[in-house]
DNA sequence: TATGAATGAGTCTTCATTCAT
DNA sequence: CATGAATGAAGACTCATTCAT
């Protein structure tokens, strides 16, 4: 039911917890990207966070907690950046185009981090993994909302029952740029990729269709 | 230059090496899928292979070798199954449709294994990873060949310079089904996914376009 | 240039490092003498040191480090004992006699340890071995100094160019007592050995000669 | 009582045993010198011997047996070379001089092998080690014999009770050249060393004394 | 709160030895 | 006699986690 997993901490002050966990996340993201989750030691995380191993364990209960924090933070950043890029002026179709452009740009800029989630989140305990996946759905909800708005204001011509599917498709297109960047970039710039995929998508959802 | 990495073995008989390595692969694939590469121990691999830890190390030099064997075998199986499903009767367009259907089906049936490659191959030594990636290109070459044949026989209407890109796109569509199966399957059957993606692809490469 | 090899430690407190390494050395010397370096396990060293295997590795990086610590400590003890036994009263000849007596006595008392160096130091990494050998030269320098003092004060009658050689010879006589104790002790007491070898040496360096 | 340790073999033919063991010794000596006993594997010994690991174990019972064979062979060679160099013409003093020269030369030529015995023989089982040490006494007996002959023919002037000691001393001088070659060779050639040590020795045993 | 020394279960890998062929 | 595949005990070393200060 909860959106976020609660990680117990030995420290009381919530401000401090937040601050320290931000340090942990910042340090861990870099390490996980460079070396992978398993090859990164808790000592390294503590050192890169700027405090001792003992302090690290004041704010988390296990190494896996760090992975969860990292995954969650990355999702939050993707979602945050995406939301802040979307102005809700104009009709939904316009917003959708803007959202797509922003989404692809964010995925491009954060591709290391997004990749990290896909490669390492399997190491999370089953229950925790569910939290992370749910977080991803939050993002796809943004697109669902826009699509529904478009149905309402008449700027987007698809059936309600295809909304979820279409949102999924959009997510996939973003991830595709992350996963196969090495292949795709040989042929497309991000700009071209955005143009092309947007065009294809719009073809499917244009009112005239 | 070489397509395959040569893994030294202390055992001389090539037939036996092949047989034992097949045992190793079979055992390791299951374990890696279930527990991940890092959480699987060499002892578990040995036991599941049906022999002792000492014997395991007669056929490999390191745990990473097992990962390589596994990745290589999976790619080989994908490629093998795909090739055997393609009859070279009819024009290239017809073959392409068949190939797409087969490819998606193979990816669906082997999704655990394909996922395994994407989640664990990063643990391979840099040099070895290159072998694995090269292997993947082999598969995309199958589609390149078909596309070129289609240009030659006039059944496919794209420019030669887009061949590589189009083959890449096809690969991505297959992987997408693997990576986001949990999301996609809520909306599509494999059959529907195949129909839809094929239709979209063909739209881009139809002669009339 | 450096006289001692610096062995990195995960522990920060230098006092503690020193204390623990002394424990390690004390434990390891006995084990190495009794079982040899190769037949002694790191677990045994840890246990005999009074802590866990994990703690052992907080203070060393490899088993070879223990061997180095041991060799270095033995040399230090030989040199220390020798230096503290030499009073610098009287002429160099008198000092030399005293030094010889002390040296042979120290070698006798520490013969197990000295033997240990000769039998096991070959297992050190090349670079580390050089540190150990250099340490031995420190000891022979003590005799060089005395000899040079003797040349200066006229109590010892050898040419400067023979000083190094003579110091080497003295070292050999000490080691001889260690290596062939089992044979020599059948015929000589340490006292007799000292007398005899001293007499022979003095014959070669007496002023009158 | 026995001079040589009997090593059981699964093979019957004594000629073949001898031949194979010679192969083993030749291979093992080089390996032990280069890598030390512990770091040499039985597989390496077998390969360098020219046969399989299985065959190796047809002719020995354990790796330590190889070490024994090697030590014994080296002693045998030292003794053999020494004996063959000594002509029993002339008085004992003359023979002694010749023997000393030969002994030092042999020790010089075989210094790697002699060093091997001193560094590795401690790895032999206690009982076996005794065989090896006894073998060394054989060599010192050569010098005892010469000295006794010299007492008898009047060419050497020492007391019978010092014979053993003197022979020991000679052994030590030879070993010294082996152990401290790196130091001694900076000052002496083998020739000079031989001259000097012979002179010192003769001074002690000259008839006139 | 922060520290960092201590812990020890767990990991990969080696290698002497055996034995069926 | 020769071979070499199979064995598994043993070893060096790592690292997540704890807890006294």
């Amino acid at each position: 039911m909860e959106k976020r997993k609660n990680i117990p901490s030995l420290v009381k002050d919530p401000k401090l917890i937040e601050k320290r966990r931000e340090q942990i996340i910042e340090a861990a993201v870099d390490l996980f990207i460079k070396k992978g989750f398993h090859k990164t030691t808790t000592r390294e995380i503590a050192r890169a966070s700027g405090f001792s191993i003992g302090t690290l364990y004041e704010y988390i209960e296990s190494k896996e907690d760090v992975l969860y924090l990292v995954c969650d933070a990355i999702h939050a950043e993707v979602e945050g950046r995406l939301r802040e890029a979307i102005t809700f002026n104009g009709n939904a179709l316009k917003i959708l185009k803007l959202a797509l452009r922003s989404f692809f740009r964010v995925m491009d800029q954060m591709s290391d981090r997004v990749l990290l989630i896909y490669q390492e989140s399997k190491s999370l305990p089953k229950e925790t993994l569910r939290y992370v996946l749910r977080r991803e759905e939050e993002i796809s909800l943004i697109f669902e909302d826009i699509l529904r708005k478009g149905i309402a204001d008449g700027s987007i011509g698809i059936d309600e029952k295809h909304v979820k599917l279409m949102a999924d498709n959009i997510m996939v297109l973003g991830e595709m740029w992350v996963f196969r960047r090495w292949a795709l970039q040989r042929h497309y710039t991000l700009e071209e990729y955005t143009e092309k995929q947007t065009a294809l998508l719009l073809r499917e959802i244009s009112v005239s269709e």
Side-chain angles (χ1 to χ4, degrees), chain A:
Chain A
M1 228 32 112
E2 286 299 321
K3 239 185 245 173
R4 296 215 184 185
K5 182 183 194 296
N6 178 44
I7 299 174
S9 168
L10 295 175
V11 174
K12 300 285 153 62
D13 180 1
K15 290 276 183 225
L16 191 53
I17 293 179
E18 176 142 12
K19 181 184 155 197
R20 291 279 180 260
R21 286 189 177 165
E22 271 168 22
Q23 290 178 273
I24 294 171
I25 289 163
E26 190 167 9
V29 163
D30 290 346
L31 287 167
F32 291 171
I33 286 172
K34 208 186 308 164
K35 319 180 59 176
F37 173 68
H38 281 102
K39 293 207 174 156
T40 300
T41 68
T42 51
R43 273 180 151 98
E44 287 172 318
I45 296 169
R47 195 182 323 128
S49 300
F51 34 72
S52 70
I53 181 69
T55 302
L56 178 66
Y57 274 87
E58 299 272 312
Y59 297 94
I60 54 155
E61 288 195 310
S62 73
K63 192 184 171 190
E64 281 159 352
D65 283 347
V66 178
L67 182 55
Y68 169 69
L69 286 177
V70 160
C71 289
D72 190 60
I74 292 170
H75 272 142
E77 190 177 348
V78 171
E79 186 178 347
R81 286 214 210 174
L82 185 53
R83 285 198 190 280
E84 99 191 358
I86 303 173
T87 55
F88 283 87
N89 300 328
N91 66 21
L93 184 62
K94 237 178 102 185
I95 294 172
L96 179 63
K97 286 181 191 170
L98 178 61
L100 283 171
R101 179 169 309 278
S102 305
F103 181 52
F104 292 155
R105 195 186 58 240
V106 169
M107 294 302 265
D108 181 65
Q109 288 165 348
M110 295 182 61
S111 60
D112 282 344
R113 292 163 186 238
V114 174
L115 202 53
L116 174 59
I117 291 182
Y118 277 85
Q119 287 181 333
E120 306 291 7
S121 64
K122 70 170 191 310
S123 296
L124 289 168
K126 236 180 154 63
E127 181 59 24
T128 309
L129 178 56
R130 220 165 295 152
Y131 281 98
V132 172
L133 294 179
R134 197 170 306 158
R135 206 76 165 88
E136 190 178 319
E137 287 193 48
E138 303 287 306
I139 297 166
S140 107
L141 274 178
I142 296 177
F143 291 104
E144 286 187 36
D145 285 349
I146 298 174
L147 290 169
R148 289 213 177 77
K149 223 168 240 157
I151 294 174
D153 72 13
S155 65
I156 290 175
I158 59 168
D159 195 291
E160 160 64 29
K161 72 181 174 193
H162 289 142
V163 165
K164 265 200 168 312
L165 172 62
M166 193 58 61
D168 262 354
N169 267 356
I170 291 170
M171 294 299 286
V172 168
L173 293 177
E175 286 162 14
M176 197 189 306
W177 182 256
V178 169
F179 289 135
R180 297 195 57 96
R181 212 173 25 156
W182 55 275
L184 290 167
Q185 283 187 340
R186 289 182 303 190
H187 309 296
Y188 293 114
T189 62
L190 171 64
E191 194 60 31
E192 290 161 356
Y193 183 79
T194 303
E195 293 304 333
K196 175 156 176 136
Q197 299 293 18
T198 303
L200 281 169
L201 265 169
L202 294 188
R203 216 193 284 177
E204 296 186 59
I205 65 173
S206 60
V207 178
S208 63
E209 197 177 42

